[in-house]
Amino acid sequence: MFDHLWGRLGKCARTTELPDLICLEVEFDQLPKHERIEVAREFGEAVSMLDDPAVWTVGGLVFGQPLGDDSFKDFRRWLILQGMEVAVQANNAPDGLASTFNLKAGDDRIFLESMAWLEAPTSELASRSEHSTAT
C-alpha cells in the first residue's frame, strides 16, 4: 500500500526532518503522467487515512496547542513526509507520536501549507509535465 508514494519520498535527501521539497517537486514533474497521478492519489489517501480524532488530538499535543482544521491538514502532510514508519504509527498508535517529536507551541515546522504540485486535480497532474517542459 502506498508503494509509489513511499518510493518517491525516499528519492530525495532530507533537509532537517523532511525530504527536500524542491527535489520532490522536480522528481514529481519528471514522472510519467500515470505515475504522477498514482503518487498524488496515494498522497491524498494517506492524508485521508490520518483524518482521525486521535491523530488530531495528538497533533495538538505534539505541537503544544490545539490544531484548527487547516493546521490539522498541514500536520497530516508533515506526518506523511516524515516517512512510512511515522505515518503508519500515526494511523495505528497515534498516542506514541507525542513522545516521538519534541515540537513547541508555535513551531511552524509542521505547517506544510499547499503542496499544489502534489494535490492538484487529476486533470492538472496529467498535463503538468507538458507545461513544465514547454517553458
Side-chain angles (χ1 to χ4, degrees), residues 54-55 57-59 61-62 89-101:
V55 175
T57 299
V58 171
L61 294 173
V62 168
Q89 178 187 0
N91 189 49
N92 295 334
D95 54 328
L97 291 173
S99 61
T100 302
F101 300 104

Side-chain angles (χ1 to χ4, degrees), residues 56-113:
W56 196 326
T57 299
V58 171
L61 294 173
V62 168
F63 184 55
Q65 64 186 42
L67 301 178
D69 292 341
D70 291 339
S71 56
F72 177 51
K73 187 168 186 178
D74 295 343
F75 179 67
R76 289 180 285 155
R77 290 176 182 132
W78 180 80
L79 285 172
I80 293 162
L81 291 175
Q82 296 301 307
M84 181 175 68
E85 295 80 17
V86 172
V88 168
Q89 178 187 0
N91 189 49
N92 295 334
D95 54 328
L97 291 173
S99 61
T100 302
F101 300 104
N102 186 22
L103 300 173
K104 305 288 186 243
D107 190 333
D108 62 1
R109 289 182 289 171
I110 71 166
F111 297 117
L112 298 178
E113 292 179 0

Side-chain angles (χ1 to χ4, degrees), residues 43-51 73 76-77 80 119:
F43 186 81
E45 286 179 13
V47 170
S48 293
M49 173 185 75
L50 295 172
D51 189 6
K73 187 168 186 178
R76 289 180 285 155
R77 290 176 182 132
I80 293 162
E119 297 176 303

Side-chain angles (χ1 to χ4, degrees), residues 112-125:
L112 298 178
E113 292 179 0
S114 178
M115 294 178 61
W117 54 272
L118 187 57
E119 297 176 303
T122 303
S123 59
E124 290 177 35
L125 292 172

Side-chain angles (χ1 to χ4, degrees), residues 5 7-15 18-31 36 39 81 115 117-118 128:
L5 176 62
R8 290 292 150 206
L9 292 180
K11 297 244 182 221
C12 292
R14 295 179 79 75
T15 57
L18 292 173
D20 180 344
L21 294 177
I22 294 170
C23 173
L24 287 175
E25 185 172 3
V26 168
E27 287 282 323
F28 186 76
D29 279 344
Q30 294 174 354
L31 292 174
R36 276 194 315 278
V39 169
L81 291 175
M115 294 178 61
W117 54 272
L118 187 57
R128 183 175 168 88

